[in-house]
Amino acid sequence: MSSIPRIVKESFTRIEPVADQATAYFYGRLFAEHPRLRALFPPAMDAHRERMFQALARIVWSLDAPGQMTDYLERLGRDHRKYGVLPEHYRAMGGALVATLRAFSGGHWTPEVEAAWASAYRSAADIMIAAAERDAAAAPPWWVAEVVDHQRRAPDLAVLTLRPDRRLKFTAGQYVQVQTARWPRVWRRYSIANAPRPDGTLSLHVRAVPGGWVSGALVRHTRVGDTLLLGPAQGTLTLDPDCDRDLLLVAGGTGLAPLKSLAEQEIAWARGRRVHLVVGARGPLDLYDLPDLRRLESGYPGLRVVPVPADAPPCDGPRGPVSAALERLRDRWDDHEVYVAGPPGMIRATVDAAQRLGVPLDRIHHDLLEAEQDAGGRARRASDRSA
């Protein structure tokens, strides 16, 4: 068995405690040696540096699981197309990465460690480049989408309907990256709030968050007729078409978007499964989509929409009202597939509640990692704005 995973992991543990300094050094080195590459990146690099290190960590700790790592690298390779990344850019980034690791490893950096990192990086880059080339034969790097409807459902929340210039293939429950003309090269992730439609349009639920450049632009400064750029659909919070268990969908805030799309998909399949959609809310404005949910409910006997009372305690507490609602409904949740989306605290509380109610962990699906990354990015940007 190759010693490369062991060597790389041992070396990486010495870099993790100084991640912020190391990523700042990496990009400084990259842009100093290849100044033209700076144009590929957003003006503010804090969020991008954090995501880069998270991706590197995920790759490093997946070296012993090649199938899982390959899937992730292929997704990265396809996604990097929207930034304009070319094969030669991977070579430049590999050189900056090795230089960074050497600078921060001190006396622990040896020729053997350098050879292991160089080999691991070449393998990873080859996978990403090959995936990007295959994807380029079938899809554009991004889609230009016209805003055909913009509904302000609350002072800080809007529902946008977009029409891409060509069909954007996606599966219910997935998300797209969005860029506005107001903030070039700044991409943010938003879940698609509908199952695929015959006309190819898609809807997004967007809440303007403090310090949110893209979210604020989408809610407050976007109008019908404007255009946005969309990246390819991604995400694994999707239904298994071969599963026949009933569904429990638990949403908090704009986490409703992907779960509404799952409900629409199940209605379109018309397989007769029961669907419980529990919608947590901090206040009445969080039930911004209730009229449309009631319309769905009236057209599909198997769907039951359960709003959590608006005057309940915050929905992301350790034993908040969403968890209490599941217990009050008193259904056989252990026979269900459970999908959860919303704030990180609500996701964790709901997963705990579902397990207490007998649902096996492998039947509970959520996007906690993405939710935590988004929440961390929002908190950091808000702090930066305050400073």
Side-chain angles (χ1 to χ4, degrees), residues 367-387:
D367 58 354
L368 180 59
L369 178 60
E370 291 82 0
E372 288 180 332
Q373 290 175 351
D374 289 345
R378 288 195 296 268
R380 184 185 55 257
R381 290 190 293 273
S383 175
D384 292 346
R385 284 285 182 89
S386 296

Side-chain angles (χ1 to χ4, degrees), residues 339-360:
Y339 290 79
V340 190
M346 188 277 289
I347 294 176
R348 285 191 288 268
T350 303
V351 170
D352 290 344
Q355 288 186 276
R356 287 197 307 272
L357 295 170
V359 183

Side-chain angles (χ1 to χ4, degrees), residues 49-314:
R49 285 199 295 264
E50 182 177 316
R51 286 197 297 271
M52 175 268 183
F53 196 84
Q54 289 170 344
L56 180 61
R58 182 168 178 175
I59 294 167
V60 167
W61 298 116
S62 299
L63 287 174
D64 287 328
Q68 177 184 350
M69 184 184 69
T70 297
D71 289 344
Y72 180 63
L73 289 171
E74 289 179 342
R75 292 199 301 271
L76 280 182
R78 293 190 294 267
D79 186 52
H80 284 172
R81 292 182 59 220
K82 73 177 186 289
Y83 296 107
V85 175
L86 301 174
E88 56 266 29
H89 298 155
Y90 285 98
R91 291 192 292 272
M93 293 178 186
L97 176 62
V98 170
T100 300
L101 295 165
R102 184 189 302 117
F104 284 83
S105 294
H108 299 285
W109 189 258
T110 66
E112 182 185 29
V113 173
E114 181 161 339
W117 271 100
S119 176
Y121 181 82
R122 281 195 303 269
S123 297
D126 287 346
I127 292 171
M128 288 190 281
I129 291 169
E133 290 175 345
R134 289 193 300 270
D135 193 58
W142 60 75
W143 284 254
V144 179
E146 179 186 0
V147 179
V148 296
D149 191 31
H150 186 283
Q151 298 181 21
R152 195 81 171 266
R153 301 283 180 86
D156 63 345
L157 192 146
V159 174
L160 287 72
T161 302
L162 313 176
R163 179 181 292 116
D165 59 344
R166 64 190 81 182
R167 183 165 290 273
L168 193 163
K169 293 183 179 180
F170 69 94
T171 301
Q174 291 190 305
Y175 62 83
V176 291
Q177 299 270 0
V178 179
Q179 177 184 262
T180 76
R182 196 178 184 91
W183 296 107
R185 303 187 304 281
V186 179
W187 296 82
R188 293 291 181 263
R189 176 174 48 222
Y190 294 98
S191 292
I192 301 171
N194 57 277
R197 296 166 175 162
D199 64 1
T201 61
L202 51 91
S203 295
L204 307 177
H205 297 181
V206 182
R207 185 182 299 279
V209 297
W213 295 357
V214 176
S215 64
L218 292 176
V219 171
R220 302 188 181 97
H221 305 292
T222 299
R223 303 291 182 266
V224 171
D226 290 349
T227 58
L228 307 171
L229 294 186
L230 307 180
Q234 302 178 73
T236 58
L237 195 69
T238 57
L239 297 178
D240 180 354
D242 298 322
C243 177
D244 59 1
R245 282 185 284 272
D246 291 336
L247 300 177
L248 170 62
L249 313 177
V250 185
T254 52
L256 171 64
L259 302 191
K260 182 182 180 183
S261 73
L262 296 185
E264 286 191 1
Q265 183 63 75
E266 186 57 35
I267 292 172
W269 281 341
R271 297 187 297 178
R273 289 200 292 182
R274 293 192 307 157
V275 181
H276 278 84
L277 175 54
V278 178
V279 184
R282 293 179 183 273
L285 293 180
D286 275 353
L287 298 175
Y288 61 90
D289 208 38
L290 190 58
D292 202 44
L293 296 179
R294 291 303 188 198
R295 180 188 61 78
L296 288 176
E297 187 179 40
S298 66
Y300 183 73
L303 174 62
R304 181 182 179 189
V305 176
V306 184
V308 171
D311 58 353

